[in-house]
């Protein structure tokens, strides 16, 4: 059973806000929430159907921000301790959500990997200092009014997940913002047969493994047969390898979600196809799809995910804002299709 976060965070924040004018001013001043966000969250809290829908999302509606992780030592008076304690409870919920659900922090709660590791591993005192001196704050990850909040539709839920993660992509692509691209590719010193074995275990088809590693295709097939004798589940996912533009045309929403995840996780994805990040991104993509009830037969295979990542590197597929609705969409450069958001 997955641990949920959105309803509890909304209720926690609203309780804090309604406890007094002073706390209301504090959260508006220190947290990255606008008054329109608070109005939306307040109305959402009274609509149980919509609240259930956002709570079922496998990602948080909030992103965690911080100014610095180098905070030194300091002491808090009683009033500060109370305020910082309230905030720290919120941030611990983010860490707990990501850890228990075994999802990437940058996808689950919008907290970059360095900040997550430092905060989660810190002592109570060090966490208190991080929140007070490091300036940890929370803000919404996307325009909340664009969410469909329809629990009865897996497609609508997947669209909401994509909307949230695209909001993070917009944020992390801004100049001067760090926290994107935490997964580096296989090191050049790593033996190619070891790399090939790992990729085969992740169900990439031998042809693509040979293409990435430079090994002889027949040798990779022999490696797969050897693995199959020991690990039957290594069998590649069924379905042939498709041209990336066909995958995009047949599954535009899934392709956009996968590429968004890959773009958030992969180090330098526009320079080289990052095979290690392909594996990680596909695993996260599958977990998010499962969480909203998407059938395995409707998901993109690991091999076709690799093809999409490779097409992003070559520039054949781009993540660009629609000229009409301004939402980010995955487009095939040679023959752009219609925007999945506004059909333009």
């Amino acid at each position: 059973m997955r641990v949920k976060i959105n309803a509890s965070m909304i209720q926690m924040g609203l309780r804090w806000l309604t406890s007094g004018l002073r706390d209301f001013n504090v959260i508006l001043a220190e947290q990255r929430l606008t008054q329109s966000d608070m109005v939306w969250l307040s109305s959402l809290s009274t609509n149980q159907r919509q609240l259930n829908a956002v709570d079922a999302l496998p990602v948080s509606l909030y992103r965690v921000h911080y100014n610095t992780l180098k905070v030194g030592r300091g002491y808090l008076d009683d009033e500060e301790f109370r305020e910082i304690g309230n905030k720290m409870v919120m941030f611990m919920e983010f860490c707990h959500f990501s850890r228990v659900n075994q999802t990437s922090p940058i996808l689950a709660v919008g907290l970059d990997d360095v900040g997550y590791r430092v905060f989660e591993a810190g002592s109570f005192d060090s966490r208190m200092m991080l929140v007070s001196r490091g300036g940890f704050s929370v803000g919404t990850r996307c325009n909340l009014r664009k969410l469909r909040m329809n629990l009865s539709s897996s497609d609508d839920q997947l669209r909401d997940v994509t909307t949230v993660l695209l909001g993070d992509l917009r944020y992390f692509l801004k100049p001067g913002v760090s926290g994107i691209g935490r997964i580096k590719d296989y090191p050049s010193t790593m033996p190619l047969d070891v790399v090939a074995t790992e990729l085969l275990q992740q169900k990439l088809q031998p042809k693509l493994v040979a293409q990435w590693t430079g090994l002889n295709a027949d040798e990779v097939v022999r490696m797969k047969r050897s693995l199959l004798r020991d690990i039957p589940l290594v069998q590649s996912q069924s379905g042939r390898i498709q041209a990336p533009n066909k995958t995009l045309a047949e599954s535009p929403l899934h392709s956009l979600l996968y590429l968004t995840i890959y773009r958030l996780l992969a180090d330098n994805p526009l320079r080289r196809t990052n095979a290690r990040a392909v594996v990680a991104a596909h695993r996260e993509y599958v977990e998010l799809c499962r969480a909203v009830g998407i059938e395995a037969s409707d998901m993109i295979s690991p091999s076709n995910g690799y093809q999409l990542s490779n097409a992003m590197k070559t520039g054949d597929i781009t993540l660009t804002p629609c000229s009409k609705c301004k939402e980010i969409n995955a487009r095939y450069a040679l023959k752009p299709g219609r925007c999945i958001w506004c059909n333009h």
Side-chain angles (χ1 to χ4, degrees):
M1 180 177 179
R2 297 183 66 90
V3 175
K4 299 183 178 183
I5 190 172
N6 286 319
S8 61
M9 290 300 299
I10 291 170
Q11 292 161 356
M12 195 183 301
L14 291 176
R15 280 198 301 270
W16 184 11
L17 286 173
T18 56
S19 63
L21 180 61
R22 184 177 182 280
D23 284 334
F24 181 82
N25 291 331
V26 165
I27 196 169
L28 285 183
E30 296 186 3
Q31 309 306 308
R32 305 186 183 196
L33 298 173
T34 65
Q35 288 189 342
S36 61
D37 287 332
M38 297 315 304
V39 170
W40 187 90
L41 292 170
S42 298
S43 62
L44 178 62
S45 66
T46 62
N47 188 322
Q48 193 60 48
R49 180 182 61 82
Q50 292 184 337
L51 188 62
N52 290 340
V54 296
D55 201 30
L57 297 179
V59 292
S60 168
L61 299 180
Y62 300 94
R63 179 191 303 120
V64 180
H65 304 263
Y66 62 89
N67 298 327
T68 180
L69 297 174
K70 298 178 181 178
V71 297
R73 295 186 60 82
Y75 299 95
L76 304 173
D77 60 31
D78 291 343
E79 190 62 27
E80 277 186 305
F81 186 89
R82 184 184 69 82
E83 289 181 5
I84 301 303
N86 284 335
K87 293 182 193 175
M88 192 172 75
V89 170
M90 298 174 77
F91 298 131
M92 285 308 301
E93 285 294 307
F94 289 121
C95 289
H96 179 69
F97 177 77
S98 183
R99 180 178 64 253
V100 174
N101 291 329
Q102 298 181 329
T103 49
S104 164
I106 204 170
L107 298 181
V109 295
L111 175 57
D112 74 74
D113 206 43
V114 176
Y116 177 85
R117 288 199 308 268
V118 171
F119 190 87
E120 201 224 11
S123 66
F124 178 82
D125 287 341
S126 66
R127 288 170 178 162
M128 293 291 282
M129 291 303 105
L130 283 169
V131 172
S132 60
R133 310 296 185 233
F136 272 67
S137 59
V138 297
T140 52
R141 303 173 78 177
C142 65
N143 185 340
L144 300 176
R145 283 152 289 282
K146 293 181 178 179
L147 299 178
R148 298 192 174 194
M149 297 178 290
N150 181 10
L151 189 56
S152 61
S153 169
S154 295
D155 184 69
D156 283 347
Q157 288 291 90
L158 198 67
R159 283 177 178 270
D160 284 352
V161 171
T162 306
T163 298
V164 170
L165 294 186
L166 283 175
D168 260 12
L169 183 62
R170 285 182 182 277
Y171 171 75
F172 284 118
L173 291 180
K174 291 180 180 178
V177 177
S178 60
I180 191 171
R182 69 186 182 92
I183 296 179
K184 297 185 180 296
D185 206 352
Y186 293 105
S188 58
T189 56
M190 193 170 182
L192 291 178
D193 60 332
V194 176
V195 176
T197 298
E198 184 169 330
L199 295 180
L200 289 170
Q201 288 174 337
Q202 298 301 323
K203 301 185 180 181
L204 263 74
Q205 296 193 17
K207 179 180 177 180
L208 296 180
V209 175
Q211 175 185 316
W212 194 90
T213 59
L215 294 173
N216 181 275
D218 292 337
E219 182 182 353
V220 175
V221 171
R222 284 194 295 272
M223 292 173 63
K224 179 181 176 179
R225 288 173 180 166
S226 176
L227 285 171
L228 279 171
R229 285 194 292 268
D230 300 326
I231 314 173
L233 294 179
V234 169
Q235 179 64 47
S236 301
Q237 190 164 326
S238 61
R240 63 187 178 84
I241 302 173
Q242 291 189 149
N245 58 305
K246 185 171 183 180
T247 300
L248 180 60
E250 291 181 354
S251 306
L253 179 61
H254 285 259
S255 299
L256 176 59
L257 175 58
Y258 168 81
L259 286 172
T260 301
I261 295 170
Y262 175 73
R263 186 70 180 87
L264 284 168
L265 295 183
D267 177 64
N268 287 327
L270 303 184
R271 295 185 181 180
R272 185 185 185 202
T273 304
N274 186 330
R276 176 170 276 168
V278 165
V279 171
H282 190 269
R283 183 170 56 245
E284 297 281 352
Y285 156 76
V286 168
E287 286 301 314
L288 295 180
C289 287
R290 284 175 178 166
V292 297
I294 301 295
E295 297 292 335
S297 58
D298 294 326
M299 299 180 198
I300 295 171
S301 72
S303 295
N304 289 331
Y306 175 94
Q307 292 288 78
L308 288 171
S309 299
N310 196 47
M312 175 181 282
K313 184 265 295 183
T314 61
D316 291 340
I317 291 178
T318 59
L319 297 180
T320 53
C322 171
S323 60
K324 184 177 181 180
C325 69
K326 307 305 178 185
E327 288 295 326
I328 294 178
N329 195 28
R331 293 285 178 94
Y332 180 52
L334 296 181
K335 191 178 179 181
R338 292 183 178 276
C339 173
I340 66 169
W341 305 108
C342 68
N343 203 36
H344 174 64

